[in-house]
Amino acid sequence: MIDLIKARLQALTPTALDLIDESALHAGHQGNGGGGHYKLNITSSHFCGKSQIMRHRLVYQALADLIPHKIHALSIHAIATDEV
């Protein structure tokens, strides 16, 4: 799943991408009908001049068909290249 998520996010041409699978920390919690928990740190020029909401939307668009069945929760830290 990590490889698939990273491949999808290549559409944003990231200069940095760190994805951590935190699913084991959330195993069996109420409301999780399947899918993993992930923490994403991504830097991209696509985020320049965009609000955090717009940055998150870009990430969600790239992963839309994986949510909520393959991805149950996604923590996103999106940084523009001009903020580095």
Side-chain angles (χ1 to χ4, degrees):
M1 184 53 66
I2 292 280
D3 291 336
L4 177 59
I5 294 170
K6 285 182 175 184
R8 296 282 184 87
L9 293 172
Q10 291 307 307
L12 298 173
T13 56
T15 57
L17 191 152
D18 184 38
L19 183 63
I20 301 167
D21 185 346
E22 296 184 331
S23 300
L25 301 174
H26 302 276
H29 84 247
Q30 188 173 11
N32 186 356
H37 290 242
Y38 301 93
K39 182 176 182 179
L40 172 66
N41 293 300
I42 183 170
T43 304
S44 172
S45 63
H46 290 261
F47 301 147
C48 293
K50 293 185 173 61
S51 68
Q52 283 296 322
I53 291 171
M54 290 306 298
R55 295 174 190 191
H56 285 216
R57 284 183 183 162
L58 289 171
V59 170
Y60 286 129
Q61 285 172 359
L63 304 173
D65 64 317
L66 300 176
I67 301 168
H69 304 294
K70 301 283 185 185
I71 299 172
H72 175 72
L74 180 64
S75 170
I76 303 169
H77 184 68
I79 305 164
T81 53
D82 60 358
E83 297 172 342
V84 178

